[in-house]
Amino acid sequence: MGSRKIFFIILMLCSSPLYAQFRLDLESGVVFGTNYNKVRIPNVGGTQVNLANDLSIDPKIFYRIRGTYTIGNRHNISALFAPLSVKYHGTFDENVNFNGINYAAGQPLEVFYKFNSYRLTYRYDFVTKTRWRVGLGLTAKIRDADVRFKNESNDTHFDNVGFVPLVNFYASYKPSYRWSVILEGDALAAKQGRAEDVFAGAAYQVNPKFGIKAGYRVVEGGADSDEVYNFNWINYASVGVLLSL
């Protein structure tokens, strides 16, 4: 077989949507509450507070961007950018030692909580039926977190950047040609802590290139280390668009 024929075959395979496809998932919505957000910094000597119970949260618009490249209809490589920041305000009923600074009871303050996530995922879909698609994979996550306490007298924060390995999972069921029910996420638990980021919802394929989705997302987990104790549960009302390029 000549080199021109080989080149032509490779070009045909690479241009075929069954061979490789790029998809863009743009998600937004509202962070409408936190079941708990327990913070103690430093872990030894700090005061443990539950921001969700002790303070009020301001509703927050969020967004997430995921790009996925699928090869051979089974191999999925994706990159995710998921910034998150919420603001609490109010007063504590007791004196609170945070990051070595004392915040007096009854004094108004604001708490800024940031938990940005950067992830690279590989997933293999071992079920690729007409109605069902199921896959498992691995995610490498970089966590960029920061907690800031601010009032009229003091302003201090504690930031932390770390690597977290996670297990990725995906399952979808198509009751009809255009509709899909989806459960997907990243999760893992270890002695030092745990992390779960799970979406459950439905998608509607408007045309082969454009779809929409809506559902509920939860981010739960935290860490118990020498420096910091923090566990949270954050609820999202989520909508998004799905683009196939």
Side-chain angles (χ1 to χ4, degrees):
M1 183 180 293
S3 59
R4 290 186 178 180
K5 286 188 176 181
I6 294 174
F7 175 77
F8 180 73
I9 291 172
I10 292 174
L11 185 63
M12 290 289 290
L13 287 173
C14 290
S15 63
S16 169
L18 295 178
Y19 177 81
Q21 183 183 38
F22 181 75
R23 299 188 309 278
L24 197 58
D25 184 341
L26 306 176
E27 183 178 331
S28 185
V30 179
V31 177
F32 61 87
T34 54
N35 289 20
Y36 53 81
N37 194 341
K38 302 175 183 178
V39 177
R40 183 171 65 242
I41 300 175
N43 199 347
V44 178
T47 305
Q48 180 170 316
V49 295
N50 188 340
L51 302 178
N53 289 345
D54 300 336
L55 304 175
S56 300
I57 186 174
D58 293 336
K60 175 72 176 182
I61 300 296
F62 78 94
Y63 72 92
R64 299 161 63 105
I65 303 172
R66 182 191 293 275
T68 302
Y69 193 67
T70 301
I71 303 171
N73 199 36
R74 290 184 183 270
H75 304 275
N76 304 274
I77 301 171
S78 67
L80 171 70
F81 173 50
L84 171 66
S85 60
V86 293
K87 177 184 174 182
Y88 300 88
H89 60 86
T91 61
F92 289 119
D93 294 333
E94 61 176 337
N95 294 340
V96 172
N97 183 322
F98 172 79
N99 204 28
I101 295 179
N102 186 66
Y103 289 83
Q107 188 175 23
L109 84 160
E110 297 174 326
V111 177
F112 301 89
Y113 186 83
K114 182 184 78 171
F115 200 84
N116 294 346
S117 181
Y118 308 85
R119 301 180 212 170
L120 183 64
T121 298
Y122 168 76
R123 188 187 79 238
Y124 178 77
D125 292 340
F126 53 88
V127 176
T128 56
K129 303 294 185 181
T130 302
R131 292 188 178 274
W132 283 97
R133 179 175 290 268
V134 181
L136 285 173
L138 296 174
T139 292
K141 171 184 174 180
I142 300 297
R143 175 198 66 240
D144 178 16
D146 186 85
V147 184
R148 178 186 178 194
F149 279 41
K150 178 183 178 182
N151 63 13
E152 292 183 353
S153 304
N154 299 298
D155 185 352
T156 185
H157 75 102
F158 181 89
D159 60 350
N160 178 262
V161 177
F163 169 77
V164 182
L166 300 170
V167 174
N168 178 263
F169 60 90
Y170 179 89
S172 68
Y173 172 72
K174 292 178 69 69
S176 67
Y177 173 74
R178 295 186 183 274
W179 285 98
S180 298
V181 180
I182 301 170
L183 177 67
E184 63 176 337
D186 294 306
L188 192 66
K191 181 180 179 181
Q192 298 81 7
R194 63 183 182 271
E196 303 95 36
D197 183 348
V198 180
F199 171 84
Y204 180 78
Q205 200 67 34
V206 179
N207 58 51
K209 298 292 186 180
F210 178 76
I212 56 176
K213 71 172 188 178
Y216 165 74
R217 181 177 294 280
V218 59
V219 171
E220 195 278 337
D224 184 358
S225 66
D226 294 338
E227 293 183 311
V228 59
Y229 177 92
N230 177 215
F231 285 87
N232 64 65
W233 179 309
I234 301 174
N235 301 295
Y236 300 74
S238 173
V239 295
V241 297
L242 307 169
L243 305 175
S244 297
L245 307 177

